[in-house]
Amino acid sequence: LGERATAEVVRTGAERAIVEGVFDVGRLPASHPAVTAENEDESLSATLTGLDIAPEDGMLILGREITRAGRTLARVNGRTAPVSVLQRIAASLVDIHGQGAHLALLRPERHVFYLDRYAGTEELRGQVAAQVSELRETVRELDRLRHDEREIARRVELLRFQVDDITATDPQPGELESLEVERRRLANAERLRVSAAVAREALLGDERETSGAQDLIAGAGQALDDLLRLDPSLGGTRDLLEQAAALLDDAAANLRDYLDAVASDPERQAEVEERWDALSRLRRKYGATIEDILAYGAEAARELDALEHREARIGDLDARAERLRQRIGKLADQLSRKRQEAAIRLGRAIERELADLNMRRARFSVEFSREEAPDGVPMPGPDGATVRYACGPTGVDHVEFLIAPNPGEGLKPLARIASGGETSRLMLALKTILAHADAVPILIFDEIDAGISGQSGQTVAEKLWELGRTHQVLCVTHLAQIAALGDTHIRVAKEMAGDRTHTTVTPLNPRARAEEIALLLGGSTSKAALANARDLLERGATWKAQVANAPASA
């Protein structure tokens, strides 16, 4: 589950220890909450998606490998992952309760979420969180606008220069391409004229009366005319010659127009080169293309406008922030009132559970505290006057569960109460009351029977079984009453084979189960002990059937 692991867990003579847990997350609802420190409201599905992990056939396999050298590897579905990822996922799946174990319920920062689930105020808390997020974004923008005035002045000066620089040059889309064509033509004007003249002379002939292509085609036409008088089958060829003559006339005309247009123009060439240099300078500073330059200029102009009119913007944002604070204050006040009402019910319910667990005079309470802040949200204070309180995504309340296990003791935070049987029973009472509010689906109770016996043991057993109707409960116990109510009984034992100790894990059939409970009851499997064990199992089965078949309202 991501806890610290050392080479001490590796068996003597072995190179590594490997442990895997296979979780059927496909049986959990898609909205199953993931109890993580980063986001208490995030679903397990969202957590896995954020980590780029996909269950395979609904299964999630968490694995850990520790080598003799002390190297440790964490894996999720066979992929190597940081231990922190294992911890984040496992926190949503398993909660271990045992002597000295780290319990999620002992973390005060979690208590407000348990209370909200019990009170049914999660949706209202979500509204507060959304408004707080909007307020924080507004305050961040205000802070940016109120940043050091000298830095803002320098930024305004730079932006104004950049905007003026781009505006003065006035680049146009497609201008670079057209300039490039014109630059090449002006730089090679004489060469272009010579080549065009040579081509035109080849078509029309020259002053030395050298025949051109048109003359030759005309001669070919005359010869074909003579042939046609004798053989009309060449009519198509004569048509082709006429088409060729027309095309040559068009080509010659185009060349004449080109020669008229192409001329050395040093003045225009200088203008084009100057414009090209101006655009190239912008490209070096603001973007590779004209479109990039224009986009940069538009963004700079927007920022410049915001900074130049920041006083008005600051006023608008200040007003918006105060409106948000007023709105949040009303929501947070509703949320706090509902929590306080639910806290009274929760305290009474847990005290009743503790009484069943032989802690009849224990007291439980939910402590609320708030922190005043000049820039907080306005709410009614203790005397009815408006007070501003610091407000986060969970509201203004700091919530902590307090317990007084024994008469004459004051209420103390859960984290400070004595360990042992009292702690285990308190955790069981809390888990029973918060069964539907607790997001962790797998609960492991290690030696919860410490310090209890008799009727208290039977009560603990019944509450564990009730808890198992909404969670998967694994319980390590030496108390017969608890073992007898389990739906599945597994014996864990150490055995010697040669000079080595081996641990065996054996699911028990009904006969073996009766024998094991007899050993727990009296240390033997005598007829009387076995009869007592079978009676305990039968009474447990009858009780479970009655509870399971009882009407929902019972």
Side-chain angles (χ1 to χ4, degrees), residues 301-537:
R302 281 192 293 270
E303 185 180 353
L304 178 61
D305 181 71
L307 291 176
E308 288 181 332
H309 298 87
R310 64 185 179 280
E311 293 303 328
R313 178 62 175 163
I314 286 173
D316 291 342
L317 289 173
D318 269 330
R320 178 185 176 191
E322 184 55 30
R323 287 195 301 271
L324 285 168
R325 289 189 182 98
Q326 295 287 341
R327 197 179 307 154
I328 293 169
K330 292 179 181 179
L331 290 172
D333 184 45
Q334 295 177 33
L335 178 60
S336 185
R337 291 176 186 275
K338 291 184 177 182
R339 283 172 173 167
Q340 291 179 31
E341 293 171 0
I344 296 173
R345 299 195 306 272
L346 177 63
R348 292 170 179 167
I350 288 181
E351 286 176 358
R352 287 195 298 269
E353 291 292 327
L354 291 175
D356 291 342
L357 296 170
N358 202 24
M359 294 177 67
R360 292 179 178 80
R361 300 181 67 182
R363 291 183 298 131
F364 180 91
S365 178
V366 181
E367 182 181 66
F368 290 84
S369 62
R370 299 173 182 174
E371 180 182 347
E372 294 187 21
D375 59 348
V377 300
M379 287 177 54
D383 58 357
T386 299
V387 180
R388 288 188 176 268
Y389 295 107
C391 185
T394 61
V396 298
D397 299 316
H398 298 282
V399 175
E400 185 168 9
F401 295 162
L402 306 180
I403 182 74
N406 302 308
E409 296 180 2
L411 290 163
K412 298 178 182 178
L414 293 187
R416 299 181 189 174
I417 65 173
S419 61
E422 288 180 344
T423 304
S424 298
R425 279 177 280 172
L426 173 62
M427 292 301 107
L428 179 57
L430 284 169
K431 287 290 185 179
T432 301
I433 294 298
L434 300 174
H436 296 286
D438 188 1
V440 181
I442 303 170
L443 306 177
I444 300 176
F445 290 92
D446 185 12
E447 305 290 0
I448 196 174
D449 50 36
I452 60 174
S453 60
Q455 183 57 41
S456 294
Q458 183 62 32
T459 302
V460 168
E462 292 173 359
K463 291 188 180 297
L464 282 171
W465 186 83
E466 289 273 14
L467 196 56
R469 302 177 74 184
T470 54
H471 295 65
Q472 180 179 15
V473 178
L474 308 178
C475 185
V476 181
T477 185
H478 293 92
L479 196 63
Q481 291 99 320
I482 293 177
L485 276 189
D487 293 326
T488 301
H489 193 152
I490 299 172
R491 179 177 58 209
V492 181
K494 289 184 178 180
E495 298 178 353
M496 291 292 296
D499 59 350
R500 297 301 301 275
T501 302
H502 296 267
T503 299
T504 61
V505 181
T506 309
L508 301 181
N509 59 32
R511 177 178 178 179
R513 186 177 188 185
E515 293 174 351
E516 187 67 21
I517 291 176
L519 290 172
L520 291 175
L521 285 169
S524 71
T525 55
S526 64
K527 290 183 178 181
L530 284 171
N532 196 5
R534 293 189 184 99
D535 179 64
L536 191 62
L537 286 167

Side-chain angles (χ1 to χ4, degrees), residues 137-163:
E137 181 58 38
T138 301
V139 171
R140 278 194 291 269
E141 187 173 352
L142 275 168
D143 290 341
R144 287 195 296 268
L145 291 175
R146 286 171 171 157
H147 195 253
D148 183 75
E149 286 296 323
R150 286 176 296 180
E151 179 62 31
I152 290 178
R154 285 193 291 268
R155 182 64 177 167
V156 167
E157 185 177 350
L158 173 62
L159 290 170
R160 185 177 292 120
F161 170 81
Q162 292 174 335
V163 171

